[in-house]
Amino acid sequence: MAEPRVASYGSWKSPITADLIVAGTIGLGGVRLDGNDVYWTELRPTEAGRNVLVKQTPDEPAIDITPAPFNVRTRVHEYGGGAYLVHQGTVYFSNFADQRLYRQAEGSEPVAITPAVALRYADGVMDAHRQRLICVREDHTGAGEAVNTIASIPLNGSTDQQVLVSGHDFYSSPRLSPDGTHLAWISWNHPNMPWDSTELWMAAIAPDGSLSDQQQIAGGDAESVLEPQWSPDGVLYFVSDRSGWWNLYRWQGAIEPLYPMDAEFGSPHWVFGVSNYAFESANRLICTYSKEGISYLASLDTQTKALTVLDTPYTEIGGIHAAPGRVLFNAGSATEPGVIAQLDLTTHHLEVLRRSSTLTIDPGYLSIPQSIAFPTENGLTAYGFFYPPKNQDYTAPASERPPLLVKSHGGPTGSTSTVFNLKIQYWTSRGFAVLDVNYGGSTGYGREYRERLKGQWGIVDVDDCANGATYLAETGAVDGDRLVIDGGSAGGYTTLAALTFRNVFKAGASFYGVSDLAALAEDTHKFESRYLDGLIGPYPEAAALYRERSPIYATDRLACPVIFFQGDEDKIVPPNQAEMMVDALRAKKLPVAYVLFEGEQHGFRKAENIKRTLDGEFYFYAKVFGFEMADPVEPVAIDNLQ
């Protein structure tokens, strides 16, 4: 191998191009089992972001089930999830374009089974005894806020849907007992989010299909209950954070903890269909838990309550589905892109069924994340994953330190992980360092850490991102004069707030980020319409606080370049949020760029747009900091660039 060339950080030529990333990468999710057959969804950027349902049998390779242009995606809560189910070879799914439910028998075309009205469906289960689906339904037919219920959808050709549960603002996870006699579900009300306070309910199913004898099993104030599931022998299990950590419990007339542990056996309910545990048998469940940002796969004996960690090469695990003798799950690690894997529980043989990327990258170009803890405000500690620059073909001048890109994850009630991410390697292989921050408010570190953000959004998250960058600069790991930050959605707000209210960062990129908190409170969808009550305060009572923390009203304090990326169909953060900020920066004569994508919603799904954001952000920093790019990319129009 030739000696590495000496070249400045940012100017390194990398084989990890935007074209390579979008051409060779798909999103994997929604694993389901139907007998011996495995199903999953694939988000394909090269098909305009279409979600395709895929099936694999034991004897045949995977095949596509849903024909174009069908797109398996629901808009319930806008974030969706739980968009399909399978029963004895027949698929039922929500189609994105019209939000109707379709039935697709094996070898047949999809047929609509719900009317063409403003109803949305998610998280369905089959009630075979009564020939119906039971699912969460979101009704947009009336004026004002959408109405959420749990409803049944007949499969006999009738259009008479039956509302089974109503009266709460939100519902999720309707789950039918194995004998079909009882239904369990989760509900919650404004202003709570599902990680704040939820309730677990159960009811008997009456002869006419309605529910009777409803009773609350768990949950309430300051308890988040998630993921009810029935064991094969009819016992109700669930996840609760009543101890301060999302742990496993079951109910048999009384609530019983299964394995108390300072670890997270659950995750925030942003989307439907989340599955962090499943039953291999009545005596054994397979689960995943997270500790300090790392996931583990484990087996729990439901009789002895003994927990055994199952050895895998993965650090991020979810989407657990099990059958006798095997478990399927979504997974990834620092060196391997996301996969759908199957573990034989007898032989411990691990098989990869599908990879999110078939690309093979020489390890000499890959940066391995380092878990770091750093001091932050009030004597506390925050966490993140640090990726140093890495490219086997280059080294930088001895006197130079790399620029640092701080990444602020969305949510803000979410988290980042060490799972292999080509978009991060895009930066590190060009000579940037990256810090992926799990700021206070992130999940995976218990309820107390999650609640650091209570009333403090725009303060704690911003301080943690800024303090992480400062910590790395002070240790000499990065160049303190070339600190940049980016983020999407809520992470975009943290980015804009950090650029506006702190003097740490020299540039940044906002992906569909919030600039006006009051506008977000006044103009967003039902699921998040009261989210800010907990993060900032009730609106409009706390209007002054909203204004105080909104970057749009403090542009006089913003003194560095920013690039904005936005979808023109975004209902969660409408385009006017970005455009108000762009106009203010133009008026201040600060370097600013605005890239609007036609037909994109909240998060970019089309290959050409994902490529444009990667190359566009890199181009922007190259022009701002004056380093030469190794390869030409499509320019971005930058106003006020000197």
Side-chain angles (χ1 to χ4, degrees), residues 195 201 237 247 270 290 381 390 429 456 476 511 523 540 634:
W195 43 85
W201 288 79
Y237 287 66
N247 280 191
W270 278 106
S290 172
T381 298
K390 180 67 179 294
S429 61
Q456 297 296 308
F511 294 76
D523 184 21
E634 183 182 354

Side-chain angles (χ1 to χ4, degrees), residues 358-642:
T358 57
L359 300 174
T360 301
I361 308 293
D362 189 311
Y365 299 102
L366 299 181
S367 178
I368 304 302
Q370 305 165 6
S371 181
I372 67 167
F374 53 88
T376 190
E377 305 304 302
N378 302 312
L380 298 173
T381 298
Y383 304 94
F385 299 109
F386 177 63
Y387 296 76
K390 180 67 179 294
N391 186 319
Q392 64 185 3
D393 301 331
Y394 293 90
T395 186
S399 60
E400 189 180 353
R401 295 290 177 266
L404 174 71
L405 171 60
V406 170
K407 301 194 78 67
S408 171
H409 67 71
T413 310
S415 62
T416 188
S417 74
T418 59
V419 70
F420 182 77
N421 186 338
L422 275 172
K423 292 180 182 178
I424 288 179
Q425 303 296 335
Y426 174 98
W427 292 96
T428 54
S429 61
R430 284 167 172 75
F432 270 69
V434 172
L435 174 62
D436 212 355
V437 183
N438 270 328
Y439 49 77
S442 301
T443 52
Y445 301 86
R447 188 175 184 114
E448 183 179 347
Y449 193 81
R450 194 167 78 239
E451 290 193 339
R452 283 190 191 178
L453 213 55
K454 201 169 187 178
Q456 297 296 308
W457 192 30
I459 306 295
V460 165
D461 50 322
V462 173
D463 283 335
D464 289 354
C465 287
N467 287 332
T470 301
Y471 169 80
L472 289 172
E474 289 176 346
T475 61
V478 302
D479 183 350
D481 292 325
R482 292 189 293 174
L483 305 176
V484 300
I485 182 171
D486 74 10
S489 190
Y493 165 69
T494 299
T495 292
L496 292 172
L499 294 168
T500 304
F501 301 119
R502 305 291 185 277
N503 295 315
V504 171
F505 298 102
K506 310 304 180 185
S510 169
F511 294 76
Y512 37 91
V514 179
S515 62
D516 185 347
L517 292 169
L520 181 65
E522 293 169 346
D523 184 21
T524 193
H525 56 108
K526 179 184 177 182
F527 179 62
E528 290 188 300
S529 63
R530 301 288 301 278
Y531 187 19
L532 302 192
D533 284 29
L535 294 173
I536 301 170
Y539 188 84
E541 294 87 341
L545 195 56
Y546 280 67
R547 185 180 181 92
E548 179 184 318
R549 294 192 196 167
S550 293
I552 188 65
Y553 298 114
T555 52
D556 59 307
R557 297 176 61 179
L558 182 57
C560 66
V562 188
I563 184 170
F564 296 79
F565 299 96
Q566 178 70 40
D568 71 348
E569 294 181 5
D570 194 334
K571 302 297 185 187
I572 296 170
V573 179
N576 68 322
Q577 291 269 314
E579 289 160 5
M580 289 189 294
M581 199 75 177
V582 170
D583 290 343
L585 288 167
R586 284 174 177 156
K588 281 199 72 177
K589 303 299 183 185
L590 282 167
V592 60
Y594 179 47
V595 183
L596 183 67
F597 295 121
E598 182 180 354
E600 289 281 22
Q601 293 93 39
H602 195 66
F604 306 140
R605 291 172 169 81
K606 298 178 183 177
E608 63 271 22
N609 297 339
I610 297 169
K611 167 183 164 60
R612 183 76 165 131
T613 61
L614 276 166
D615 285 341
E617 185 180 0
F618 184 64
Y619 176 90
F620 186 75
Y621 297 147
K623 294 302 181 185
V624 166
F625 292 121
F627 60 79
E628 293 293 326
M629 295 179 291
D631 295 304
V633 301
E634 183 182 354
V636 172
I638 305 174
D639 295 328
N640 305 324
L641 184 67
Q642 300 301 316

Side-chain angles (χ1 to χ4, degrees), residues 6 10 41 48 68 135 181 219 236 271 278 280 300 395 458 476 515 518 548 554 564 625:
V6 177
T41 57
C135 61
T181 62
L236 182 59
V271 297
E280 186 265 347
L300 180 71
T395 186
S515 62
E548 179 184 318
F564 296 79
F625 292 121

Side-chain angles (χ1 to χ4, degrees), residues 330-346:
N330 294 95
S333 72
T335 56
E336 186 173 3
V339 301
I340 292 173
Q342 177 172 261
L343 179 66
D344 186 306
L345 294 169
T346 302

Side-chain angles (χ1 to χ4, degrees), residues 83-162:
Y84 83 95
L85 67 115
V86 189
H87 180 70
Q88 296 180 353
T90 298
V91 172
Y92 302 86
F93 69 90
S94 171
N95 181 47
F96 181 69
D98 56 14
Q99 289 300 293
R100 299 173 75 181
L101 284 179
Y102 286 76
R103 172 171 46 204
Q104 186 177 3
E106 197 164 0
S108 302
E109 290 293 305
V111 177
I113 60 172
T114 57
V117 294
L119 298 172
R120 303 174 182 177
Y121 311 90
D123 214 5
V125 293
M126 171 62 69
D127 184 358
H129 178 70
R130 300 168 187 86
Q131 279 299 290
R132 63 181 184 173
L133 303 180
I134 298 175
C135 61
V136 175
R137 190 181 79 174
E138 192 170 83
D139 187 342
H140 291 258
T141 59
E145 192 171 71
V147 177
N148 292 71
T149 58
I150 292 177
S152 66
I153 314 300
L155 299 178
N156 60 5
S158 169
T159 58
D160 295 332
Q161 300 181 7
Q162 181 181 17

